[in-house]
Amino acid sequence: MKKLSTTISLTLVAMLAGSFQLANAVEKSYSLPLSKPGEPVSIEIEVYRGSVTLVGYKGDTIEISAKSSVFSGEDKDLKKVKAPINNNNPARSNKGLKSVKSQSMRLEIEEKNNDVEISSESSKQHVDLVIKVPQRSSIEVQLHKGGDVNVDGISGSLELEAYGGMVIAKNISGPIVAETGRTDIVVSFSNFDKTSPSSLTSHMGNVDITLAKKVAANVNVQTYQGEIFSGLDKDFVVIDEIKKNKKGKKQKIVLGGIMQAKVNGGGQALSLTSYSGNLYIRKGK
Amino acid sequence: MTNQQIIDWKIASLANNDNSELSEEMQRYLEQNSQLQEELLFIEQFWTSDVKPLVMPSDKLDANFYQMLSRAKTAQQHIPEQYDAQQETTQPLNDYRASSKVPSLSLMDKVKSWLTPMPIAQFATLTLVFVLGYNINKAPNSEINSEAYSVLQQDISSLTTVLAMSMLQKDSASERLSGVAYSRQTNLSNPVLVEQLIELLARDKSTSVRLAIINSLGELESFGLFEQQLLTMATMEENLLVQIELCRLLLNYGSVEIKNLLTEQSSQQQLKPEVQEFIKAQSMASYI
């Protein structure tokens, strides 16, 4: 019975009537207790359109607050591939009738053995999620369109992708792997994890990091058309030159490419890459 | 036939989830080598256990590790004089070796408990103890010591390869980045590992992982059979950052033929304008 209780999968498909209604918007909160309190937590979030804010706290419940509204705009990158079906029915009159806007929200939340999945995949819905999670949680977020991914005070590993908005992470220790298209990545490290490398890649946006004084890391930077601005005491040096001397008897020195600064004696790798954005490396407190 | 060939076969079969049997020649070789049998068992258990992410060694830690290996070599060279005195101190190692023959679970428990709190130091210790356990109390002479040292290095490389391949299959991008970093530590001497890296390069959803793989491929002595595949990837790639880095890799370390092919494609405007511009700039730089 005990075994069974640990493997119970909690699946909630929330078709929720608005408990607090703004104009065309539905707001709902949900508290999800973990099935294994105190143990590692893994959270995977996929939102098609909207924003995601994650805040770490000292607790063992996932507190989800969701605000959804109907998306009535058009995706410029999507083309209509099929004409509407013509069923030959006569047009109905709506004279004297009021239009009733949809007040439902589709959000799926699933939990099994501390593995939590939250998803909103409807392209017709804009969802703003604010989620309180245990600080130790490992988090993966994919946000396809809309706003930003915001993370604050989480000490677990982070994997964040935002294709429409920014990735903003504060007070984290990584490891973090983040990627954006045309928007910025802004990360402030209060500490830096030694277990795995971290990497921040923005194709066309800027990457802006702040490192707390105690952070030790090998900071690697690479931008093709952007500029690099550093507030670190350590200078950046080209690392390819050193690497290629190792190639057996043949020596080949290649200049360019990645530059590195060993902060506080060096440590785990933290790579910052952009094609046309600038890279900013700031020294924090 | 060498131990390394059999270890490489084992790693490849674990990585590909392939249950094919050893060739007759390999089987005969293995039957005569109980040490290798135990080593394969260890690798299999190491692979199937849930390996936690390990700390990447800093340069300093790395240097300390190799100093430790060097000390191990020196110690072995002085074993004849110190052999009697060391009998007492090596006893725990002998006990440890003996314990590896009793239920394998206890060994794995030990390995797991070592892997968690201070991982890289313990990984180094684990490797050292594992190999010294096999070698330290053998009748020493300089030839055997040199051979033992070489075996020690091979074993470290094999374990790092196993670890790298295991990490490359993880769901987390950060762990896959660790796998790439471990791959670099092996100097990419195992072709199965290189194949796995190139396969991951073709399909990984994370640009960070793909860029790290391209960077690590610069460690290869030559691209060999993979060169054409890398050229195809470079020309077909849609991710601009990945495409540019693939071109940089081939222009810097590829064969003359591949460089010419790539430059030709660029001049025929088959690549993105940004990539053409990059190749042009690289070509101009190479004339300076």
Side-chain angles (χ1 to χ4, degrees):
Chain A
M1 194 63 188
K2 195 180 174 186
K3 223 175 187 179
L4 183 70
S5 67
T6 58
T7 55
I8 280 177
S9 164
L10 171 66
T11 305
L12 298 172
V13 179
M15 299 288 290
L16 305 168
S19 53
F20 175 65
Q21 188 185 333
L22 295 172
N24 295 332
V26 181
E27 243 185 277
K28 179 73 182 174
S29 298
Y30 192 81
S31 185
L32 178 70
L34 292 170
S35 51
K36 291 183 172 178
E39 293 194 16
V41 186
S42 160
I43 301 169
E44 209 179 310
I45 301 166
E46 183 167 4
V47 173
Y48 184 80
R49 190 190 311 279
S51 67
V52 178
T53 301
L54 291 148
V55 183
Y57 83 113
K58 288 178 183 168
D60 261 316
T61 307
I62 312 281
E63 307 284 349
I64 303 161
S65 168
K67 189 167 122 182
S68 103
S69 55
V70 176
F71 177 75
S72 53
E74 265 185 35
D75 284 325
K76 286 176 187 167
D77 53 342
L78 298 179
K79 287 177 188 167
K80 198 176 273 185
V81 291
K82 204 174 174 185
I85 297 166
N86 184 0
N87 56 13
N88 295 325
N89 287 336
R92 298 280 157 197
S93 164
N94 57 7
K95 198 176 175 186
L97 305 176
K98 283 189 290 186
S99 168
V100 179
K101 299 292 179 197
S102 169
Q103 292 172 18
S104 67
M105 171 193 299
R106 185 164 183 93
L107 185 68
E108 294 188 21
I109 306 163
E110 190 174 315
E111 194 270 352
K112 184 182 179 185
N113 295 337
N114 284 16
D115 286 341
V116 182
E117 285 181 26
I118 302 170
S119 65
S120 163
E121 292 171 9
S122 168
S123 60
K124 301 267 182 196
Q125 178 178 257
H126 179 106
V127 180
D128 294 315
L129 287 174
V130 179
I131 308 172
K132 272 174 77 179
V133 300
Q135 281 175 335
R136 63 182 184 281
S137 307
S138 293
I139 290 163
E140 194 181 326
V141 180
Q142 271 187 60
L143 178 60
H144 297 273
K145 289 175 185 293
D148 302 335
V149 174
N150 273 282
V151 173
D152 190 359
I154 289 170
S155 57
S157 73
L158 300 166
E159 206 173 317
L160 313 172
E161 288 172 45
Y163 303 107
M166 298 207 296
V167 166
I168 302 164
K170 285 192 294 187
N171 197 19
I172 63 152
S173 53
I176 173 172
V177 178
E179 186 167 341
T180 61
R182 296 178 174 275
T183 47
D184 293 357
I185 299 177
V186 184
V187 178
S188 107
F189 291 91
S190 55
N191 209 333
F192 193 58
D193 184 86
K194 294 181 180 124
T195 57
S196 299
S198 288
S199 179
L200 310 174
T201 305
S202 178
H203 293 259
M204 305 282 177
N206 303 309
V207 180
D208 187 331
I209 63 160
T210 304
L211 301 174
K213 257 184 185 175
K214 61 183 171 184
V215 166
N218 287 353
V219 181
N220 304 320
V221 291
Q222 187 174 28
T223 180
Y224 300 83
Q225 294 187 350
E227 290 184 68
I228 302 167
F229 301 95
S230 169
L232 300 176
D233 300 328
K234 276 276 178 185
D235 288 335
F236 280 89
V237 292
V238 175
I239 58 170
D240 280 354
E241 186 180 1
I242 304 159
K243 185 182 77 178
K244 293 308 154 200
N245 281 339
K246 285 185 195 167
K247 275 203 159 181
K249 291 172 189 171
K250 184 179 166 187
Q251 280 205 22
K252 182 163 184 175
I253 298 170
V254 178
L255 297 170
I258 300 171
M259 298 207 294
Q260 186 181 78
K262 288 181 187 291
V263 181
N264 286 331
Q268 188 54 270
L270 168 58
S271 303
L272 317 178
T273 311
S274 178
Y275 176 72
S276 54
N278 294 337
L279 307 179
Y280 301 86
I281 303 101
R282 304 173 198 274
K283 201 165 64 176
K285 289 176 185 171
Chain B
M1 183 66 58
T2 62
N3 284 13
Q4 193 58 45
Q5 281 174 300
I6 307 244
I7 288 170
D8 286 347
W9 170 84
K10 186 70 185 172
I11 292 170
S13 68
L14 286 169
N16 301 327
N17 204 14
D18 173 12
N19 293 322
S20 64
E21 299 209 336
L22 279 167
S23 67
E24 276 184 28
E25 188 194 359
M26 283 173 144
Q27 192 68 45
R28 276 198 302 278
Y29 182 86
L30 187 60
E31 278 165 10
Q32 290 161 8
N33 193 336
S34 60
Q35 178 190 322
L36 183 59
Q37 286 171 26
E38 288 190 37
E39 204 164 329
L40 294 186
L41 182 67
F42 179 84
I43 288 173
E44 189 168 341
Q45 288 171 333
F46 193 85
W47 180 270
T48 49
S49 67
D50 183 19
V51 182
K52 301 286 180 201
L54 298 182
V55 171
M56 289 306 302
S58 64
D59 289 352
K60 193 178 166 190
L61 205 58
D62 221 356
N64 286 344
F65 177 54
Y66 283 100
Q67 267 177 16
M68 203 161 75
L69 292 182
S70 169
R71 279 202 298 274
K73 186 188 176 191
T74 314
Q76 286 203 340
Q77 282 166 349
H78 291 93
I79 281 173
E81 298 85 40
Q82 297 168 2
Y83 191 67
D84 291 340
Q86 281 191 349
Q87 286 247 320
E88 204 176 310
T89 53
T90 54
Q91 196 59 41
L93 291 180
N94 294 337
D95 288 346
Y96 177 78
R97 184 188 170 195
S99 75
S100 69
K101 290 176 181 169
V102 286
S104 57
L105 191 63
S106 64
L107 171 62
M108 287 316 294
D109 284 347
K110 282 179 188 173
V111 171
K112 276 185 177 174
S113 67
W114 288 7
L115 287 172
T116 347
M118 292 174 61
I120 196 62
Q122 281 147 354
F123 179 61
T125 313
L126 165 69
T127 313
L128 194 63
V129 169
F130 172 65
V131 181
L132 287 181
Y134 285 120
N135 298 295
I136 203 158
N137 56 354
K138 287 182 180 174
N141 61 43
S142 60
E143 225 173 78
I144 292 176
N145 284 329
S146 165
E147 197 182 318
Y149 184 62
S150 162
V151 169
L152 177 70
Q153 285 180 316
Q154 277 182 10
D155 284 333
I156 290 162
S157 178
S158 297
L159 283 177
T160 312
T161 303
V162 170
L163 190 60
M165 291 172 87
S166 169
M167 300 292 276
L168 289 173
Q169 294 180 349
K170 298 281 180 185
D171 289 336
S172 147
S174 177
E175 286 177 298
R176 294 199 299 280
L177 279 176
S178 285
V180 179
Y182 278 118
S183 303
R184 290 186 76 144
Q185 286 181 26
T186 68
N187 294 327
L188 304 185
S189 54
N190 187 317
V192 181
L193 177 59
V194 178
E195 200 177 331
Q196 192 180 352
L197 282 169
I198 290 178
E199 194 189 310
L200 198 60
L201 169 61
R203 66 172 167 81
D204 203 290
K205 64 172 186 162
S206 164
T207 302
S208 296
V209 174
R210 301 180 75 197
L211 294 176
I213 292 172
I214 296 169
N215 195 247
S216 73
L217 291 176
E219 296 286 325
L220 283 169
E221 291 284 338
S222 99
F223 298 131
L225 294 171
F226 299 115
E227 194 169 56
Q228 189 58 47
Q229 198 181 345
L230 289 170
L231 177 69
T232 310
M233 270 191 216
T235 50
M236 306 292 282
E237 181 57 50
E238 290 184 358
N239 183 324
L240 180 60
L241 282 169
V242 173
Q243 191 174 36
I244 286 183
E245 279 307 299
L246 275 166
C247 291
R248 186 205 295 277
L249 180 76
L250 291 170
L251 290 173
N252 284 341
Y253 308 115
S255 65
V256 177
E257 296 76 36
I258 286 289
K259 285 179 196 174
N260 290 341
L261 277 171
L262 192 59
T263 316
E264 200 178 307
Q265 292 199 359
S266 174
S267 57
Q268 289 171 2
Q269 301 186 341
Q270 290 174 7
L271 303 169
K272 291 186 186 83
E274 296 92 338
V275 182
Q276 289 174 32
E277 195 183 317
F278 175 79
I279 291 175
K280 198 173 163 188
Q282 289 278 109
S283 305
M284 283 172 73
S286 67
Y287 284 116
I288 299 169

